[in-house]
Amino acid sequence: MKIIDAHLHFVREDEYFDGIAAAAGHINSEEHLREQFDSLDVVCGIVMGNRGLELEDHRYPEFLRYCIGLDSGYLADKSVTESLDLIEKHLRKDQCVGIKLYPGYCPAFITDPAYEPVYELAEQYGKAVAVHTGATAGSNALLKYSHPLTLDEAAVLHPRVQFVMCHFGNPWLMDAAAVLEKNENVAADLSGLLEGRVDVDAFFLEKSGYTQQLSAWLGYLHEYDRVMFGTDWPLVNLSEYQRFIRRIVPEKYYEKVFFENAKKIYKLNA
Ligand SMILES: [Zn+2]
């Protein structure tokens, strides 16, 4: 089965990313990622952009696409006009398949007026807006901005924008399901639910309440046309993570969840 990894990070030669890759049993390099993708039938990955908006900082190998990330630098370093100009330059590129927002890490709700022109650009170019939701790495971020319910209003205000709720709002799974159930223009990715190395069998025993909740809310929602496999590489071990998601998603929806949905939502020619 061909697979698309709908959520990863790709920051070369960076101490932080090198460290989390090592903790997950990986090496933070293009060669290693390519080898891992080949061995696991992953044909394409979608990078969630970090490190600002400069065009030269977003050169990726041909097996990757990316969402340009509006991380903590957005609105802080540059004039809004200059930032929007750069975002538009990315959106004109085929390899750029969307925009990634980082609420929680950025201290603003995604309905903040500062993001309005960003949604207009996404609609104009027909590209998705992926939104970090749920728990955050580190204690400096603010959870009230990353709660999945915040996506509801953005989705209502921008019905022609395709949103992606990253991490299925984890651990606010019930709220995430409610937002997806109500808003057809919201999809979700199942990335970043684990961290580092995980003994998958032991995890399902020790955290059975959690894994049952995850399966249960996905099953309640029953929108397997709008849920995508993603990993959050290099945060997780790729083969362990695939095994984990295969146990959460019913087998008859594998084709959709592991491949077709990402291809459709991010308009890939994979
Ligand atoms: Zn991520």
Side-chain angles (χ1 to χ4, degrees):
M1 182 177 68
K2 283 202 293 184
I3 291 171
I4 296 168
D5 182 342
H7 185 133
L8 66 132
H9 297 272
F10 188 76
V11 185
R12 297 175 181 92
E13 288 162 25
D14 177 278
E15 209 176 317
Y16 171 73
F17 283 95
D18 291 353
I20 54 174
H26 287 304
I27 303 161
N28 183 33
S29 74
E30 180 182 332
E31 298 72 45
H32 180 79
L33 181 60
R34 194 185 288 265
E35 276 169 29
Q36 290 286 307
F37 271 21
D38 285 348
S39 71
L40 296 165
D41 287 330
V42 182
V43 294
C44 179
I46 301 172
V47 174
M48 296 292 146
N50 298 98
R51 282 200 170 163
L53 299 171
E54 295 301 329
L55 287 157
E56 59 268 29
D57 291 334
H58 296 279
R59 293 210 179 94
Y60 301 104
E62 83 296 339
F63 64 99
L64 299 177
R65 304 288 178 272
Y66 73 100
C67 290
I68 183 63
L70 276 54
D71 54 20
S72 48
Y74 180 65
L75 304 178
D77 311 342
K78 295 174 184 298
S79 75
V80 177
T81 317
E82 201 177 333
S83 295
L84 291 170
D85 197 43
L86 277 170
I87 294 165
E88 188 163 8
K89 285 193 171 110
H90 285 284
L91 293 176
R92 286 203 194 105
K93 294 168 66 173
D94 287 340
Q95 202 175 17
C96 177
V97 297
I99 298 167
K100 170 77 187 289
L101 306 183
Y102 287 93
Y105 299 105
C106 298
F109 288 111
I110 58 165
T111 44
D112 190 285
Y115 290 116
E116 282 305 305
V118 174
Y119 298 129
E120 281 169 28
L121 282 174
E123 188 175 331
Q124 186 187 332
Y125 284 87
K127 296 196 176 182
V129 176
V131 181
H132 172 86
T133 61
T136 52
S139 55
N140 290 331
L142 295 170
L143 293 173
K144 68 175 176 178
Y145 299 119
S146 64
H147 193 285
L149 204 52
T150 61
L151 246 165
D152 180 48
E153 191 174 356
V156 169
L157 291 171
H158 303 284
R160 286 178 297 280
V161 173
Q162 172 67 62
F163 288 90
V164 176
M165 181 192 284
C166 301
H167 321 300
F168 193 48
N170 190 58
W172 290 297
L173 306 173
M174 178 169 64
D175 309 69
V179 173
L180 267 99
E181 182 181 29
K182 171 172 166 283
N183 300 292
E184 286 189 0
N185 58 330
V186 181
D189 77 43
L190 299 176
S191 67
L193 305 175
L194 305 177
E195 208 179 315
R197 299 301 308 264
V198 172
D199 179 333
V200 177
D201 291 334
F203 189 90
F204 274 85
L205 282 174
E206 286 161 16
K207 300 210 174 188
S208 61
Y210 168 70
T211 56
Q212 282 163 19
Q213 289 266 324
L214 191 52
S215 297
W217 284 111
L218 283 170
Y220 163 85
L221 177 64
H222 223 272
E223 292 286 355
Y224 291 103
D225 289 334
R226 288 193 269 143
V227 174
M228 296 177 279
F229 171 71
T231 58
D232 225 3
W233 153 280
L235 192 78
V236 301
N237 182 276
L238 294 184
S239 64
E240 288 163 7
Y241 203 75
Q242 251 194 49
R243 282 178 44 222
F244 174 72
I245 298 297
R246 280 171 193 266
R247 284 178 67 164
I248 295 293
V249 172
E251 196 169 346
K252 62 178 172 177
Y253 302 116
Y254 280 0
E255 282 290 338
K256 289 179 173 186
V257 172
F258 282 91
F259 186 76
E260 293 296 338
N261 297 343
K263 188 177 171 186
K264 181 182 64 188
I265 286 157
Y266 285 110
K267 300 179 180 167
L268 308 175
N269 47 12

